[in-house]
CSV table of all heavy atoms in Angstrom, one decimal:
chain,number,residue,atom,x,y,z
Z,71,GLY,N,8.2,1.9,21.9
Z,71,GLY,CA,9.4,1.3,21.3
Z,71,GLY,C,10.7,1.9,21.9
Z,71,GLY,O,10.7,3.0,22.4
Z,72,GLY,N,11.7,1.1,21.7
Z,72,GLY,CA,13.1,1.6,22.2
Z,72,GLY,C,13.1,1.8,23.7
Z,72,GLY,O,13.9,2.6,24.2
Z,73,GLY,N,12.2,1.1,24.5
Z,73,GLY,CA,12.2,1.3,25.9
Z,73,GLY,C,11.4,2.4,26.4
Z,73,GLY,O,11.4,2.7,27.6
Z,74,GLN,N,10.8,3.2,25.5
Z,74,GLN,CA,10.0,4.3,25.9
Z,74,GLN,C,8.5,4.0,25.7
Z,74,GLN,O,8.1,3.4,24.7
Z,74,GLN,CB,10.4,5.6,25.0
Z,74,GLN,CG,9.6,6.8,25.4
Z,74,GLN,CD,10.0,8.0,24.5
Z,74,GLN,OE1,11.2,8.1,24.1
Z,74,GLN,NE2,9.1,9.0,24.4
Z,141,HIS,N,13.7,9.0,29.3
Z,141,HIS,CA,14.5,8.5,28.2
Z,141,HIS,C,15.8,9.2,28.1
Z,141,HIS,O,16.9,8.5,28.1
Z,141,HIS,CB,13.7,8.6,26.9
Z,141,HIS,CG,14.3,7.7,25.8
Z,141,HIS,ND1,13.6,7.3,24.8
Z,141,HIS,CD2,15.6,7.3,25.6
Z,141,HIS,CE1,14.4,6.6,24.0
Z,141,HIS,NE2,15.6,6.6,24.5
Z,142,SER,N,15.9,10.5,28.2
Z,142,SER,CA,17.1,11.2,28.1
Z,142,SER,C,18.0,10.9,29.3
Z,142,SER,O,19.2,10.8,29.2
Z,142,SER,CB,16.9,12.7,28.1
Z,142,SER,OG,16.2,13.1,26.9
Z,144,GLY,N,18.3,8.1,30.8
Z,144,GLY,CA,18.9,6.8,30.4
Z,144,GLY,C,20.2,7.0,29.6
Z,144,GLY,O,21.2,6.4,29.8
Z,145,HIS,N,20.1,8.0,28.7
Z,145,HIS,CA,21.3,8.3,27.9
Z,145,HIS,C,22.4,9.0,28.7
Z,145,HIS,O,23.5,8.8,28.4
Z,145,HIS,CB,20.9,9.2,26.7
Z,145,HIS,CG,20.1,8.4,25.6
Z,145,HIS,ND1,20.5,8.6,24.3
Z,145,HIS,CD2,19.1,7.6,25.6
Z,145,HIS,CE1,19.6,7.8,23.5
Z,145,HIS,NE2,18.8,7.2,24.4
Z,148,ASP,N,24.5,6.5,30.1
Z,148,ASP,CA,25.5,6.1,29.2
Z,148,ASP,C,26.8,7.0,29.2
Z,148,ASP,O,27.9,6.5,29.3
Z,148,ASP,CB,25.0,6.1,27.7
Z,148,ASP,CG,23.9,5.1,27.5
Z,148,ASP,OD1,23.8,4.1,28.2
Z,148,ASP,OD2,23.1,5.3,26.5
Z,163,GLY,N,17.7,-0.6,27.2
Z,163,GLY,CA,17.2,0.6,28.0
Z,163,GLY,C,15.8,0.4,28.3
Z,163,GLY,O,15.0,0.0,27.4
Z,165,HIS,N,13.0,2.7,29.9
Z,165,HIS,CA,12.8,4.1,30.4
Z,165,HIS,C,11.4,4.4,30.9
Z,165,HIS,O,11.0,5.5,30.9
Z,165,HIS,CB,13.2,5.0,29.2
Z,165,HIS,CG,14.5,4.7,28.6
Z,165,HIS,ND1,15.7,4.8,29.2
Z,165,HIS,CD2,14.8,4.3,27.3
Z,165,HIS,CE1,16.7,4.4,28.4
Z,165,HIS,NE2,16.2,4.1,27.2
Z,236,ARG,N,19.1,7.3,12.7
Z,236,ARG,CA,18.8,8.5,13.5
Z,236,ARG,C,19.8,8.5,14.7
Z,236,ARG,O,19.7,7.5,15.5
Z,236,ARG,CB,17.4,8.5,14.0
Z,236,ARG,CG,17.0,9.7,14.8
Z,236,ARG,CD,15.5,9.6,15.1
Z,236,ARG,NE,14.9,10.8,15.8
Z,236,ARG,CZ,14.5,10.8,17.1
Z,236,ARG,NH1,14.7,9.7,17.8
Z,236,ARG,NH2,13.9,11.8,17.6
Z,238,VAL,N,21.0,10.3,18.2
Z,238,VAL,CA,20.7,11.2,19.2
Z,238,VAL,C,21.9,11.5,20.1
Z,238,VAL,O,22.6,10.5,20.5
Z,238,VAL,CB,19.5,10.7,20.0
Z,238,VAL,CG1,19.3,11.6,21.2
Z,238,VAL,CG2,18.2,10.6,19.2
Z,240,ILE,N,22.9,13.0,23.7
Z,240,ILE,CA,22.5,13.6,25.0
Z,240,ILE,C,23.8,13.7,25.8
Z,240,ILE,O,24.6,12.7,25.9
Z,240,ILE,CB,21.6,12.6,25.7
Z,240,ILE,CG1,20.3,12.3,24.9
Z,240,ILE,CG2,21.2,13.1,27.1
Z,240,ILE,CD1,19.3,13.4,24.8
Z,245,CYS,N,24.3,8.1,20.1
Z,245,CYS,CA,23.9,6.7,19.8
Z,245,CYS,C,22.7,6.6,19.0
Z,245,CYS,O,21.9,7.6,18.9
Z,245,CYS,CB,23.8,5.9,21.1
Z,245,CYS,SG,22.4,6.4,22.1
Z,246,PRO,N,22.5,5.5,18.3
Z,246,PRO,CA,21.2,5.4,17.5
Z,246,PRO,C,20.0,5.2,18.5
Z,246,PRO,O,20.1,4.5,19.5
Z,246,PRO,CB,21.4,4.0,16.8
Z,246,PRO,CG,22.5,3.3,17.5
Z,246,PRO,CD,23.4,4.3,18.2
Z,247,CYS,N,19.0,6.0,18.2
Z,247,CYS,CA,17.8,6.0,19.1
Z,247,CYS,C,16.6,6.6,18.3
Z,247,CYS,O,16.7,7.4,17.5
Z,247,CYS,CB,18.1,6.9,20.2
Z,247,CYS,SG,16.7,7.1,21.4
Z,248,GLY,N,15.4,6.0,18.6
Z,248,GLY,CA,14.2,6.4,18.0
Z,248,GLY,C,13.3,7.2,18.9
Z,248,GLY,O,12.1,7.5,18.5
Z,249,GLY,N,13.7,7.6,20.0
Z,249,GLY,CA,12.8,8.1,21.1
Z,249,GLY,C,12.7,9.7,21.0
Z,249,GLY,O,13.2,10.3,20.2
Z,250,THR,N,12.0,10.2,22.0
Z,250,THR,CA,11.9,11.7,22.2
Z,250,THR,C,12.7,12.1,23.4
Z,250,THR,O,12.9,11.3,24.3
Z,250,THR,CB,10.4,12.1,22.4
Z,250,THR,OG1,9.9,11.6,23.6
Z,250,THR,CG2,9.5,11.6,21.3
Z,251,HIS,N,13.2,13.3,23.3
Z,251,HIS,CA,14.2,13.8,24.3
Z,251,HIS,C,14.0,15.2,24.8
Z,251,HIS,O,13.2,15.9,24.2
Z,251,HIS,CB,15.6,13.6,23.8
Z,251,HIS,CG,16.0,12.1,23.6
Z,251,HIS,ND1,16.4,11.4,24.6
Z,251,HIS,CD2,15.9,11.3,22.6
Z,251,HIS,CE1,16.6,10.1,24.3
Z,251,HIS,NE2,16.3,10.0,23.0
K,301,LIG,ZN1,17.3,6.1,23.3
Side-chain angles (χ1 to χ4, degrees):
Q74 181 178 334
H141 193 155
S142 296
H145 285 226
D148 293 336
H165 311 297
R236 182 179 186 251
V238 172
I240 302 285
C245 65
C247 176
T250 66
H251 291 279

